[in-house]
Each structure stands twice: as C-alpha cells, then as structure tokens.
Amino acid sequence: MRPNFLSYRLIIVLLTLSNVVFGGGYQVNLQGVKQTGMGHCGVSLYQGPSAIFFNPAQLGFSTNKTAISFGVNLVDGRIVHYNPATNQQYRNQRGLSTPFSVYATRKLGKGFAFGIGAYTPYGSSLKWEDNWAGRFVVTDISLRAIYVQPTISYGRGPWSIGIGVMAGFGSLNYKRDIPVTDSEGEYGSVLLTASSRAIGFNLGTSIELSKGFVFGMSYRTQHTFKAENGFADFTVPETASEQLYDQNFSSQISAPSNFMVGLSLQPNDKWAFTGEVNFTGWSVYQKLEIDFEENTDVLNDISERRNWRDSEAFRFGVLRKAGQSLTLRAGFSRDLTPTNKQFYGPETPDSDRNGYHAGFTLKIKKKISFDAAFQWAETDEITAYHEPSGFGGKYKGRAFVYCFGFSYGL
C-alpha cells in the first residue's frame, strides 16, 4: 500500500511542550487551599506557610515558630468543541488531575524566617473522545511541572522582604494521530515524551501601611525550560516507517514572569478583605521551535508562530471568623487569556474565564486544622483557529475544583 502521507507535510504541534512549562495560558492557580477559597488571593494577606509561593516576605508573619501545610486538589475539567460548518460536537473524556502543594516554615530569630515548599503550578490531563475531529492535533495529553522552592525572609517592624529559588521539573506525555492508514484503515499515531527543568526566583515585599491595612507585592522571574532528550515514538504502517521513525528531539521555551500586587484590610479580628492584580508576561512566547534529531522528506524541524500577549488576572476575597474553631472564606477571580485565536490549539483550550470560590478552615485540635475549598471556573465561549493544522471551531469550558488540606503549627 502506498502511504497516503507523502503529500502531507507532517507538523507535530508541540505547543504542549510549553504547557509543561507554564500551562499554555491555563495556569493551575491552586498553590494554597486557603487562598483558593478567597479567589486565589495571597500576596498581601498571610494565610499560612503557602506564603512561600504567594509572597515570600510573609514567612515571618506566622504566630507559630514552626508551621506546616499540605494541600491536594481534584480538578474535574469539562470541555466542548463545536464545529458550526459540520454541526458536530465533541467533548473530552472525564478524568481528574491532582495538583498538590506542601510547605514548611521556621522562624529563626532576629526577624529571619526560613521555609521550603513543593507545588505544582502547571499540571493537568486531557483526553478527547475517540475519533474526534481534532485527532491529528491531539488525542491525549498528560503534563506536570513540580517546583521546589527554598525561601528566606527578613522582617523589621511593619516591613519585610523575602526571596526564594524556584527549581522546576516538568514532564510530558502527548499523543496524536497521523493521517496515514494501514491496510485496515487505522490511522497511525505518535507519542511524545519529554522532561525539562529550569531555575527562577520568587521575590516579595510586604508593608503594613496602617493597623490592619497591608500592601504586598511579589515577582516571579522569567525562566527557561530545556527539553534535550525528548522522544518521539511513532506507530505507523511499515510502508511509512522509512519516513516516520522513532527518534529524539530537543526544544526550549521561556516561562513568563509573574508580577502580583495587592492590598488587604482587617478592620477587626473577625473580618478580612483582600484584592490583587496579577500581570503575566506571556508575550515572551512568540514562537515555538523544535529540533528533531533527524529530518526526512515529511518530518522537518519546526518553527511556528504563537504570538501570545501579556495578560492580567483580577482577584478578590473575603474572610470571616465564625467562632474559635471555624473560619469561612469566599472569593471571585477574572482571568484574561493570552492566547492568539489564529494559532489556537485544542491541547489545553483556554479563554477568558470567571472563577467562583468558597472555603473554610476547621480547627480540629489546638495545633491542627482542616482546610477545604471549592472553585467553579467557567470560560467564555471562544471561536478560534489552529493555523498549522487548519483546525478550528468554538470552544467552551468548565471546571470544578475540590481542595483539601491540613495545617499544623507549634
């Protein structure tokens, strides 16, 4: 059988390699259970050891000499793709992804505090239903990036500063079909696996402007992930194996900077209000470049435009202490997408979205508390086009996030 791919220039769209780095415009904002319950606010309001991520300057604000927190999140994402030209609708197969976080801090005396945290700011999975229209772009993806961050802070009076070193480790499994068929009419496929790592910094400062009124600011630096030993595993008919065969690839991409600024107000010991703005430097991602170990007539190195823009997120939260053992939280967030509608891929569909948040903390014992939060995220409907593959349509997404954790202090 003559392979039917020879007239088709194979483009393996590795946008998802960048998703290992920074979530492809779909950052997983779940680095603290308490903060999730308040719209993911945390830059100006101390909520425990998770300040390591939100604002390292706040480490010394703990009332405990040693503090530990742990959180796990269950993310149930639901995505619909609709093609108005064919009147067909496709959905992703349901499944859960589980980003987590764990932090520990210790006061050192004379205004110094130290902490270390591990968290997953980018991590998700997506599997489209069988035989869906975008199968030649993606069928299945699973990705995760884990960061480890040692942090130190110093505070004196109403002012404090902090710095942390972010060591990121990413992994990817990405599968898509290839338009070449065997004798039974089954399409070929390729499975891409890669790992990458990067180093960045997390800087923060905090100042109490007046009693109960706090200004906070933090900055996470841009950093570059490198995937030098990626592997492309082709499953194709024998007639196509001379052009499409297993081999390595390399790539690198810069993760964007993040700048957060916020204010919090605690008028008394029962209420707290906070709001913040997050600026993300997504415009660093203008082009995707992939270098395959060997090129063939149909498999070439890739250089594709992405043309993303910088974006903003707006977050608000409120806290109410309802007694000695119970604290209630609620929040709202509005995240604006950086993606370009002309170069839009269905690997991690994204658009502007609203987040509705709620949560609570229940003190179990004097030193141990149980934390829980819920987030409902709803994306705006978007009509977008993936120029490299010629695939487009309407997308609509929704996610339900269930967060659980424990806090310990002594």
Side-chain angles (χ1 to χ4, degrees):
M1 175 183 174
R2 180 180 176 81
N4 64 4
F5 66 89
L6 289 177
S7 61
Y8 178 86
R9 181 181 181 272
L10 178 65
I11 301 177
I12 299 180
V13 183
L14 288 179
L15 172 59
T16 48
L17 183 60
S18 66
N19 290 337
V20 173
V21 181
F22 49 77
Y26 217 83
Q27 290 187 107
V28 181
N29 295 316
L30 299 169
Q31 282 71 54
V33 177
K34 294 177 181 177
Q35 288 86 351
T36 298
M38 296 185 67
H40 204 247
C41 293
V43 70
S44 64
L45 183 66
Y46 178 75
Q47 292 282 285
S50 49
I52 288 173
F53 172 84
F54 291 90
N55 186 348
Q58 297 180 340
L59 264 62
F61 289 2
S62 175
T63 57
N64 300 297
K65 188 170 185 179
T66 299
I68 301 171
S69 69
F70 167 79
V72 63
N73 309 277
L74 307 178
V75 183
D76 179 11
R78 309 174 186 187
I79 302 168
V80 177
H81 171 267
Y82 173 71
N83 188 337
T86 61
N87 199 32
Q88 289 182 304
Q89 182 173 283
Y90 300 92
R91 300 176 183 271
N92 67 308
Q93 295 186 17
R94 298 281 296 277
L96 295 175
S97 55
T98 57
F100 72 92
S101 61
V102 58
Y103 306 95
T105 62
R106 174 79 174 182
K107 286 187 174 182
L108 303 178
K110 296 184 178 180
F112 286 95
F114 174 79
I116 188 167
Y119 50 86
T120 51
Y122 319 109
S124 64
S125 60
L126 175 64
K127 185 174 183 179
W128 287 96
E129 60 184 286
D130 294 340
N131 301 318
W132 90 288
R135 62 191 301 175
F136 300 126
V137 182
V138 62
T139 58
D140 191 0
I141 175 175
S142 175
L143 58 96
R144 173 164 292 184
I146 298 175
Y147 281 59
V148 177
Q149 181 184 322
T151 304
I152 192 167
S153 74
Y154 173 76
R156 185 173 183 178
W159 173 77
S160 62
I161 59 173
I163 182 171
V165 179
M166 305 183 300
F169 305 89
S171 63
L172 163 73
N173 288 278
Y174 167 64
K175 188 175 182 179
R176 55 165 286 181
D177 287 347
I178 300 174
V180 52
T181 56
D182 59 21
S183 58
E184 297 180 355
E186 295 292 327
Y187 286 110
S189 65
V190 59
L191 174 63
L192 304 171
T193 58
S195 60
S196 54
R197 58 189 182 275
I199 294 290
F201 296 91
N202 188 356
L203 316 170
T205 186
S206 181
I207 183 169
E208 188 172 22
L209 303 174
S210 62
K211 186 176 180 180
F213 188 40
V214 178
F215 169 80
M217 181 171 60
S218 71
Y219 180 74
R220 295 194 297 277
T221 61
Q222 174 184 321
H223 46 285
T224 300
F225 276 76
K226 296 183 179 181
E228 299 177 344
N229 295 299
F231 186 71
D233 182 4
F234 289 91
T235 301
V236 296
E238 185 176 351
T239 50
S241 61
E242 292 185 2
Q243 296 288 336
L244 302 174
Y245 47 83
D246 298 350
Q247 62 171 286
N248 294 107
F249 63 84
S250 61
S251 181
Q252 70 177 42
I253 195 164
S254 295
S257 60
N258 281 264
F259 175 66
M260 295 190 295
V261 59
L263 292 168
S264 65
L265 174 64
Q266 293 180 272
N268 51 52
D269 60 358
K270 291 184 178 181
W271 288 94
F273 305 89
T274 183
E276 61 188 55
V277 183
N278 185 352
F279 302 92
T280 305
W282 293 113
S283 61
V284 69
Y285 188 43
Q286 293 295 305
K287 185 182 290 187
L288 171 68
E289 295 184 309
I290 305 296
D291 181 15
F292 288 101
E293 190 173 49
E294 297 180 11
N295 297 146
T296 69
D297 292 339
V298 296
L299 181 62
N300 302 319
D301 293 335
I302 296 170
S303 180
E304 296 181 1
R305 290 180 295 166
R306 286 296 176 260
N307 296 351
W308 284 16
R309 65 172 185 84
D310 295 342
S311 67
E312 303 81 37
F314 306 90
R315 297 165 182 158
F316 307 92
V318 59
L319 176 152
R320 164 70 173 174
K321 290 186 177 179
Q324 295 295 321
S325 300
L326 180 63
T327 301
L328 305 176
R329 300 181 180 86
F332 173 79
S333 60
R334 175 67 174 174
D335 292 275
L336 306 181
T337 182
T339 56
N340 188 311
K341 292 182 180 180
Q342 188 178 355
F343 304 101
Y344 188 95
E347 298 90 358
T348 52
D350 185 30
S351 64
D352 298 344
R353 62 190 179 274
N354 292 331
Y356 308 92
H357 307 251
F360 68 88
T361 292
L362 180 64
K363 184 175 290 187
I364 301 174
K365 293 185 178 180
K366 184 177 180 180
K367 299 178 181 180
I368 302 175
S369 298
F370 172 72
D371 303 314
F374 172 76
Q375 177 183 350
W376 170 21
E378 189 86 18
T379 68
D380 297 349
E381 183 176 88
I382 186 173
T383 300
Y385 176 74
H386 185 252
E387 186 179 84
S389 65
F391 181 76
K394 294 183 178 181
Y395 296 87
K396 176 71 175 175
R398 175 180 296 172
F400 298 100
V401 185
Y402 310 90
C403 314
F404 309 96
F406 289 93
S407 302
Y408 175 80
L410 57 84

